């Protein structure tokens, strides 16, 4: 690496850290390490296609992904969510959410947060469940981020519905791996299905974010 390349990398990383800091106030459950990973992957991973996010909530992870698309000038984020929350977001849940309890939806907060970040042009909201939206989707994904229904069956349904749209060498990311609330859900799915899947290659872990690459079918 030349000195010019070295200092260019420092400048690039500094710019990314600034963007990560800018999204600190967007509500959600994504750590800055996870956000930095999503932003970098959305910006740099070389597979063809757009970014698909299953489970957008109030737009925290969407902002990181959309910023990666905006910076690279490559595609958009398809943000798939019914915006009605999961069981844990309902009244009395361990992540009770005011918008869900009072309004029945986080869609208003989602659009407001995207507008505040100036990223609306880089996001295409698709309102509905992951499985329902997939039936009408015709695109290709260079990156699939699954963070919707955290149950085993829900995670499996989202993966099965969207995996065919992921390009070869594209990425599949899962959130909340080994989160104590979801050990029998997304964690068990990753450990019993994904880690043994013939087309899935583990690449990286950032906190609870697990990233795999799709290999071409044999």
């Amino acid at each position: 690496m030349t000195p010019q390349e070295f200092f260019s990398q420092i400048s690039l990383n500094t710019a990314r850290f600034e963007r990560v800091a800018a999204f600190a106030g967007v509500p959600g459950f994504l750590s800055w390490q996870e956000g930095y990973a999503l932003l970098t992957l959305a910006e740099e991973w070389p597979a063809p296609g757009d970014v698909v996010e299953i489970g957008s909530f109030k737009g925290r992870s969407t902002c990181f992904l959309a910023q990666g698309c905006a910076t690279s000038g490559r595609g958009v984020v398809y943000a798939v969510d019914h915006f009605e929350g999961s069981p844990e977001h309902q009244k009395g849940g361990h992540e009770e959410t005011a918008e869900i309890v009072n309004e029945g939806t986080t869609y208003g907060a989602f659009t407001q947060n995207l507008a505040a970040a100036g990223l609306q042009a880089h996001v295409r909201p698709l309102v509905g469940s992951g499985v329902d939206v997939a039936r009408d989707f015709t695109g290709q994904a260079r990156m699939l981020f699954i963070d919707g229904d955290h149950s085993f069956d829900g995670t499996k349904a989202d993966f099965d519905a969207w995996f065919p749209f992921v390009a070869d060498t594209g990425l599949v990311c899962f959130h909340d791996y080994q989160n104590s609330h979801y050990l029998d859900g997304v964690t068990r799915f990753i450990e019993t299905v994904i880690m043994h899947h013939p087309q899935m290659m583990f690449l990286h872990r950032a906190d609870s974010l697990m990233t795999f690459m799709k290999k071409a079918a044999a």
Side-chain angles (χ1 to χ4, degrees):
M1 178 181 292
T2 66
Q4 291 82 359
E5 290 171 336
F6 177 81
F7 286 105
S8 176
Q9 190 64 40
I10 290 179
S11 297
L12 178 61
N13 288 338
T14 299
R16 285 198 184 118
F17 285 133
E18 289 173 346
R19 294 196 292 271
V20 168
F23 302 141
V26 181
F29 311 103
L30 199 76
S31 72
W32 74 264
Q33 295 95 332
E34 294 165 343
Y36 182 86
L38 289 180
L39 189 158
T40 304
L41 293 171
E43 181 177 340
E44 292 198 355
W45 195 256
D50 293 295
V51 175
V52 175
E53 172 184 54
I54 311 299
S56 302
F57 195 53
K58 299 182 187 181
R60 182 176 174 86
S61 55
T62 319
C63 283
F64 287 104
L65 293 167
Q67 184 62 67
C69 291
T71 302
S72 66
R74 297 173 57 222
V76 298
V77 179
Y78 288 99
V80 180
D81 202 320
H82 48 54
F83 296 98
E84 298 170 0
S86 298
E88 62 268 26
H89 303 135
Q90 310 304 318
K91 187 174 180 61
H94 69 266
E95 290 171 353
E96 181 178 317
T97 301
E99 291 89 346
I100 298 296
V101 174
N102 298 325
E103 305 168 29
T105 180
T106 61
Y107 188 71
F110 169 81
T111 56
Q112 289 170 12
N113 289 326
L114 286 180
L119 292 168
Q120 313 98 302
H122 305 283
V123 179
R124 303 288 184 270
L126 300 176
V127 180
S129 72
V131 172
D132 288 342
V133 171
R135 294 191 182 102
D136 297 321
F137 190 75
T138 58
Q140 185 179 49
R142 70 175 183 270
M143 181 177 179
L144 170 63
F145 176 46
I146 297 179
D147 192 24
D149 183 339
H150 283 45
S151 68
F152 182 95
D153 290 342
T155 305
K156 182 179 186 302
D158 286 335
F159 175 79
D160 289 346
W162 287 93
F163 184 68
F165 298 106
V166 179
D168 288 346
T169 74
L171 302 176
V172 181
C173 305
F174 297 88
H175 192 223
D176 284 318
Y177 176 66
Q178 293 186 332
N179 182 313
S180 61
H181 294 290
Y182 311 117
L183 294 178
D184 195 46
V186 62
T187 298
R188 182 164 65 91
F189 179 75
I190 290 171
E191 293 180 345
T192 61
V193 177
I194 296 301
M195 289 185 176
H196 303 281
H197 195 290
Q199 286 185 264
M200 287 280 91
M201 175 187 294
F202 173 70
L203 295 181
H204 183 256
R205 178 177 181 178
D207 282 357
S208 72
L209 179 72
M210 297 285 279
T211 299
F212 299 81
M213 185 184 76
K214 179 180 180 179
K215 299 186 292 184

